[in-house]
Every structure is written in structure tokens, then in C-alpha cells.
Amino acid sequence: QMRLVESGGGSVEAGGSLRLSCAASAWNARMGWIRQAPGKEREGVATTTGGNTTYYADSVKGRFTVSRDNDKNTVYLQMNSLKPEDTAMYYCAAGYRGGGSVLSPDTFLYWGQGTQVTVSS
């Protein structure tokens, strides 16, 4: 069982930035960030693979950057130009259970507990 621990969430005004971190108990080629706003379905935000290829949801392209430090088994999500609609619980996820697209939340095996991001207007 892989353990994932997120940190770095908080409250920020629109236009601000936050950096989320996810410390994993082991290395995994595929890691990603998923968010869920109240009353909405989970949304895949960004995924990075072992080859350091990255994928982004259209809603965050150009504003968010996913990166990883393989020596520390840590993945980051740098979020710039934040908007109120980015408000959500952000989850780190890892692994691949099959099916779906590269960003699909349903394709991830392991999940963290989440960290809240709130963006005020």
C-alpha cells in the first residue's frame, strides 16, 4: 500500500499562487493531482509520468505546473493566477488501475487525504 501525504493548501486571493506538495512512501511512475469542489465531480488537474511527461486539464493549462523530485518521492503542483473557481479539495494520487484517460481520477490506485485550496475574489 502506497501512502501519500499532501501539504501546502490554504486560502489566497484571486491572482495569487500556492504550491502543493505530495510526499509519497515510495516512487511511482505515474502521479497526479485531482480536485473536487463541493457539489461537483472529481476533476483530473495534472498528471506526470515516469518519463516526466506532463498532462493538464484545459482549465489549468498555462497556470498550473506539475513537477516531481524523484530523490524525495515528492510531486508538486505550482498554482499561479488562481481563480475562485479553483477552490476545491486537492488530492494527490498515484499508480494505474487501468482504463480511462491519462487525467481520469478513476484510473489512479492510491490516494492521499487531500488539502483544501480556497481562492477568494
Side-chain angles (χ1 to χ4, degrees):
Q1 186 73 15
M2 187 175 186
R3 185 165 177 258
L4 304 169
V5 180
E6 303 97 335
S7 62
S11 297
V12 65
E13 292 185 351
S17 298
L18 283 173
R19 188 194 196 204
L20 306 184
S21 299
C22 172
S25 59
W27 185 87
N28 193 289
R30 183 172 182 260
M31 298 190 73
W33 291 93
I34 291 91
R35 67 186 180 186
Q36 187 167 26
K40 295 188 177 181
E41 294 187 354
R42 295 180 303 177
E43 176 190 19
V45 174
T47 299
T48 178
T49 64
N52 284 329
T53 302
T54 55
Y55 306 84
Y56 297 95
D58 288 343
S59 57
V60 306
K61 278 181 183 175
R63 300 187 298 121
F64 290 12
T65 303
V66 61
S67 61
R68 61 192 301 164
D69 184 334
N70 291 324
D71 291 337
K72 297 181 179 179
N73 292 335
T74 299
V75 64
Y76 305 96
L77 185 67
Q78 178 67 44
M79 306 185 294
N80 298 329
S81 301
L82 282 161
K83 304 175 181 180
E85 51 263 44
D86 294 318
T87 295
M89 184 70 79
Y90 283 71
Y91 298 91
C92 177
Y96 181 61
R97 61 184 298 175
S101 70
V102 67
L103 288 170
S104 174
D106 293 337
T107 62
F108 286 93
L109 267 175
Y110 307 107
W111 290 75
Q113 293 301 306
T115 185
Q116 177 68 37
V117 171
T118 302
V119 184
S120 59
S121 57

